[in-house]
């Protein structure tokens, strides 16, 4: 019908996707349990309940069968890349291209359909039936399907819905192959019985069919059964509210979880974590002890020793560092993982892993300030420098009290990182801590602190800057530190610093000795930083100084100061 309202406007595709998920769970339950089993019966009831919201707006559900997907109204409502576990692939490989389910099918025909699909999936290779013939036997009234028949050697055309035409000419070709084999075979000794004499098959497999069988056998041997086994455990946990059953399932999962981590099976780890969180929300009649044990899987993953082991194993296997399963696992890490993550980041050789862990560290630090403060108060932590730097980069103002403690750390590298982080934060409390660092015994820390207060013009640092610039200690400093103190003093003191700086730059009286060239040059630069008109006048008076170092400094200051 043209011009009809799109079905997706009256029924969300997510509702159909949820229905297909229930269909897959029921298929698994029908395969594993007998019809009188409570899990089998509960799966049937859940499947019927899943159809109710669909039938409230539709009379039939038309699904397109793709290689690994089901599509409804051109939207993917089921997707499973693993063909060994894909319901869509089970139907697609046998030729089904469309499946229509009408209202009423869920009562009796749909369970028969799922049982038939299970029979077809596990037919032996030499079975005479396939999915199509098994479906013909059922004679469904509320279920319709369409198959595409693959063309054989003699051709053949697709039949109507639920039927298929067989091509001719295949028997003749098979007969020719058997005759050729018989002609080339050596004569059989008398009295020897050949197995071919008892062969009931009327034709041989061609090369393509042999290759297909070989591929399927190899795929079956390679199939990972851990995912389906975990699905069974989680289904049992959800469907059986008995304490003894759930305790036993949790015991099994608690034994498997460390093994998954050791084996680097991050897909299984992510599955356990996802399902554990989901069961906490949806499992009926969940007792608090069971909820705590489910939540403990994420807590266990975030324990520092396990995080360290996890990160080390990821770094040793760089090929998996960027996998989606690894990203899922890292995303679930909690606050206790912050310290080991920061400790490991500088040691990593995998760029992808380093990038991922930096994002994890940022997320954890922003979400858990108390954990950040706890680590900052641990002087022996290997993550201190990285964490202090992170506090400044993320602008975590609430961590200033903790940075006040790292500012007194015995390691100069920690104190330097602290000053730089406090400079980024720039709050009054942060600048007050930087002011104290001006007297730090380490030159690098002093330089960083002086440059921060100078750049921010922090008036609270004037007393300490003035004591150095106008005192005797400045003369013993090397040029870089001396220049930093003078520039900071000029920026902080402003017009109030013009007079003492002019006294250093210009010589007064016959009995007064001139300051050293470096000190006078620093004073000239500092005058330019004051941005005061009086400072320019003093600089103009020193423009023709006999000392080349001083003249160059004055020239630079005049260029940078306002006219």
């Amino acid at each position: 019908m043209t011009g009809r309202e799109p079905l997706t406007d009256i029924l969300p595709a997510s509702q159909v996707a949820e229905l297909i998920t229930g269909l897959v769970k029921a298929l698994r339950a029908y395969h594993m349990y007998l019809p009188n089993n409570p899990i089998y019966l509960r799966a049937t009831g859940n499947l019927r309940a899943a159809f109710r919201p669909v039938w409230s707006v539709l009379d039939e559900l038309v699904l397109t069968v793709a290689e690994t997907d089901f599509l409804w109204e051109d939207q993917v409502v089921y997707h499973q890349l693993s063909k060994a576990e894909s319901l869509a692939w089970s139907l697609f490989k046998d030729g089904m291209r469309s499946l229509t389910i009408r209202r009423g099918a869920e009562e009796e025909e749909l369970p028969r359909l799922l049982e038939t699909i299970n029979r077809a999936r596990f037919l032996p290779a030499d079975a005479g039936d396939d999915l199509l013939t098994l479906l013909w036997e059922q004679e469904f009234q509320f279920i319709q399907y369409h198959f595409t028949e693959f063309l054989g050697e003699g051709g053949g055309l697709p039949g109507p819905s639920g039927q298929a035409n067989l091509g001719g000419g295949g028997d003749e070709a098979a007969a020719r192959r058997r005759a050729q084999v018989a002609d080339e075979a050596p004569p059989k000794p008398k009295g020897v019985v050949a197995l071919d004499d008892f062969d009931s098959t009327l034709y041989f497999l061609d090369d393509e069919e042999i290759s297909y069988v070989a591929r399927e056998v190899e795929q079956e041997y390679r199939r990972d059964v851990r995912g389906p086994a975990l699905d069974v455990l989680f289904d049992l946990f959800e469907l059986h509210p008995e304490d003894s059953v759930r305790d036993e399932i949790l015991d099994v999962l608690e034994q498997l979880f460390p093994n998954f981590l050791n084996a680097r099976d991050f897909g299984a780890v992510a599955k356990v974590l996802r399902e554990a969180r989901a069961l906490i929300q949806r499992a009926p009649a969940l007792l608090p002890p069971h909820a705590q044990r489910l939540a403990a899987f994420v807590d266990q993953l975030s324990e520092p020793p396990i995080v360290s082991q996890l990160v080390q194993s990821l770094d040793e296997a760089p090929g998996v560092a960027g996998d989606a399963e690894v990203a899922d696992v890292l995303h679930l890490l909690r606050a206790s993982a912050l310290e080991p993550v920061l400790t490991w980041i500088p040691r990593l050789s995998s760029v992808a892993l380093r990038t991922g862990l930096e994002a994890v560290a940022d997320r954890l630090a922003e979400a858990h300030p108390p954990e950040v403060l706890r680590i900052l108060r641990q002087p022996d932590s290997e993550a201190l420098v990285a964490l202090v730097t992170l506090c400044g980069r993320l602008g975590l103002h609430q961590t200033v009290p903790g940075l006040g403690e790292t500012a007194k750390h015995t390691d100069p590298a920690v104190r330097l990182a602290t000053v730089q982080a406090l400079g980024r934060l720039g709050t009054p409390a942060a600048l007050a801590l930087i002011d104290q660092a001006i007297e730090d015994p380490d030159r690098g820390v002093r330089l960083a602190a002086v440059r921060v207060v100078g750049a921010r013009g922090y008036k609270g640092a004037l007393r300490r800057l003035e004591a150095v610039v106008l005192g005797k200690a400045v003369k013993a400093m090397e040029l870089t530190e001396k220049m930093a103190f003078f520039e900071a003093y000029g920026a902080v003191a402003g017009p109030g610093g013009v007079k003492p700086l002019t006294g250093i730059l210009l010589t007064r009286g016959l009995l007064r000795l001139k300051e050293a060239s470096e000190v006078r040059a620093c004073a000239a630069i500092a005058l330019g930083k004051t941005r005061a008109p009086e400072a320019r006048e003093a600089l103009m008076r020193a423009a023709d100084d006999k000392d080349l170092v001083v003249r160059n400094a004055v020239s630079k200051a005049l260029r940078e100061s306002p006219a």
Side-chain angles (χ1 to χ4, degrees):
M1 184 189 306
T2 60
R4 69 174 176 84
E5 182 182 7
L7 295 182
T8 52
D9 291 347
I10 59 176
L11 180 66
S14 59
Q15 190 73 57
V16 179
E18 185 175 345
L19 169 64
I20 301 300
T21 300
L23 202 68
V24 173
K25 287 187 176 181
L27 183 73
R28 190 163 59 231
Y30 289 1
H31 173 60
M32 298 179 60
Y33 305 104
L34 295 173
N36 61 349
N37 189 282
I39 295 181
Y40 183 104
L41 298 174
R42 191 175 289 113
T44 302
N46 292 341
L47 187 59
R48 290 171 180 168
F51 269 98
R52 292 192 190 108
V54 176
W55 295 150
S56 65
V57 293
L58 299 178
D59 290 325
E60 66 176 18
L61 185 67
V62 181
L63 299 173
T64 300
V65 182
E67 187 170 351
T68 56
D69 305 325
F70 285 134
L71 289 86
W72 176 73
E73 293 293 304
D74 295 329
Q75 296 196 35
V76 176
V77 293
Y78 171 79
H79 178 69
Q80 172 57 264
L81 283 177
S82 175
K83 292 183 178 179
E85 302 176 11
S86 174
L87 172 59
W89 171 249
S90 298
L91 305 181
F92 183 86
K93 68 182 178 63
D94 283 341
M96 185 182 290
R97 295 297 180 266
S98 175
L99 176 64
T100 302
I101 305 173
R102 296 189 176 89
R103 186 194 301 272
E106 73 279 6
E107 296 299 329
E108 187 268 333
E109 291 190 0
L110 196 59
R112 284 199 287 125
L113 172 66
L114 297 181
E115 290 175 349
T116 303
I117 292 173
N118 272 329
R119 286 176 56 198
R121 291 174 68 188
F122 298 99
L123 283 174
D126 58 351
D129 292 327
D130 59 9
L131 177 61
L132 180 58
T133 57
L134 293 176
L135 290 175
W136 278 345
E137 297 173 359
Q138 299 299 320
E139 297 183 351
F140 293 123
Q141 299 297 318
F142 298 100
I143 297 175
Q144 184 178 0
Y145 44 84
H146 175 75
F147 276 73
T148 296
E149 179 67 24
F150 302 107
L151 296 179
E153 285 186 79
L157 298 174
S161 177
Q163 301 179 8
N165 297 328
L166 300 177
D171 293 342
E172 182 181 349
R176 286 199 301 269
R177 287 197 297 271
R178 287 197 299 271
Q180 182 180 356
V181 171
D183 292 341
E184 295 176 357
K188 292 182 291 186
K190 293 182 179 181
V192 177
V193 178
L195 184 62
D196 292 342
D197 295 339
F198 301 93
D199 189 4
S200 61
T201 305
L202 300 179
Y203 57 88
F204 293 102
L205 291 176
D206 59 26
D207 292 341
E208 184 178 352
E209 291 169 331
I210 293 173
S211 299
Y212 171 78
V213 171
R215 288 196 305 270
E216 289 297 314
V217 171
E218 183 179 5
Q219 184 177 2
E220 179 63 25
Y221 275 101
R222 290 183 177 181
R223 186 167 66 92
D224 188 359
V225 299
R226 283 172 289 192
L230 288 173
D231 287 334
V232 172
L233 288 176
F234 290 124
D235 287 346
L236 291 172
F237 187 96
E238 186 173 358
L239 296 173
H240 283 277
E242 295 85 358
D243 294 353
S244 58
V245 174
R246 289 183 170 178
D247 282 332
E248 185 177 357
I249 292 172
L250 288 171
D251 290 341
V252 173
L253 291 173
E254 287 168 352
Q255 293 176 9
L256 291 175
F257 191 70
N259 295 331
F260 291 152
L261 288 171
N262 292 334
R264 300 176 184 171
D265 188 355
F266 300 110
V269 171
K271 188 179 189 69
V272 171
L273 297 176
R274 282 196 306 269
E275 291 293 335
R277 296 176 68 190
L279 286 174
I280 293 174
Q281 302 298 325
R282 70 169 186 249
L286 185 65
L287 298 177
H290 293 156
Q292 292 172 3
R293 291 179 71 180
L294 287 171
F297 286 111
V298 180
D299 295 335
Q300 181 182 357
L301 177 69
S302 300
E303 292 177 0
I306 293 182
V307 174
S308 296
Q309 180 183 354
L310 172 65
V311 175
Q312 183 177 4
S313 64
L314 286 173
D315 195 43
E316 292 172 354
V320 302
D323 289 353
E325 292 86 357
V326 173
D328 290 343
V329 171
L330 296 179
H331 182 72
L332 295 173
L333 292 176
R334 293 185 175 174
S336 56
L338 178 59
E339 186 172 4
V341 165
L342 288 173
T343 301
W344 270 95
I345 285 176
R347 310 174 185 173
L348 298 176
S349 57
S350 170
V351 177
L353 181 59
R354 184 185 298 113
T355 302
L357 287 179
E358 286 173 348
V360 170
D362 290 355
R363 174 179 61 82
L364 294 176
E366 289 180 324
H368 304 283
E371 178 66 13
V372 175
L373 288 171
R374 185 195 69 79
I375 300 172
L376 290 175
R377 295 187 172 112
Q378 301 293 323
D380 297 332
S381 174
E382 297 181 39
L384 271 184
V385 173
L387 182 60
V388 167
T389 304
L390 183 143
C391 290
R393 179 168 55 81
L394 297 181
L396 302 180
H397 295 93
Q398 61 270 50
T399 62
V400 170
L403 293 174
E405 298 191 26
T406 58
K408 304 172 186 176
H409 200 276
T410 56
D411 186 353
V414 176
R415 300 200 303 273
L416 176 60
T418 301
V419 169
Q420 293 169 341
L422 291 169
R424 284 191 168 192
L425 296 177
T427 62
L431 293 175
L433 292 172
I434 294 176
D435 175 38
Q436 299 174 18
I438 291 176
E439 297 176 347
D440 194 275
D442 184 78
R443 173 182 173 275
V445 178
R446 290 196 306 270
L447 271 175
V450 167
R451 286 168 175 163
V452 170
V453 297
R456 291 189 171 270
Y458 178 58
K459 299 295 183 182
L462 180 60
R463 182 183 62 80
R464 283 188 170 89
L465 292 175
E466 193 171 51
V468 173
V469 169
L470 303 182
K472 296 181 180 180
V474 71
K475 297 178 181 178
M477 293 179 178
E478 54 85 32
L479 181 58
T480 301
E481 186 176 3
K482 192 180 299 181
M483 184 67 73
F485 268 93
F486 269 93
E487 288 181 350
Y489 175 70
V492 172
V498 172
K499 185 175 179 179
L501 290 173
T502 301
I504 296 174
L505 175 61
L506 300 176
T507 304
R508 295 182 181 179
L510 296 174
L511 300 179
R512 183 174 178 180
L513 296 176
K514 289 184 179 181
E515 296 286 353
S517 297
E518 289 183 355
V519 175
R520 294 178 64 210
C522 290
I525 296 297
L527 282 169
K529 296 292 183 181
T530 63
R531 317 289 289 180
E534 301 91 334
R536 188 170 183 83
E537 295 177 5
L539 291 170
M540 292 296 293
R541 290 165 56 191
D544 296 328
D545 196 275
K546 296 179 181 179
D547 193 315
L548 179 60
V549 175
V550 176
R551 286 203 310 273
N552 288 339
V554 169
S555 177
K556 179 181 178 182
L558 286 172
R559 288 195 304 270
E560 296 178 355
S561 63

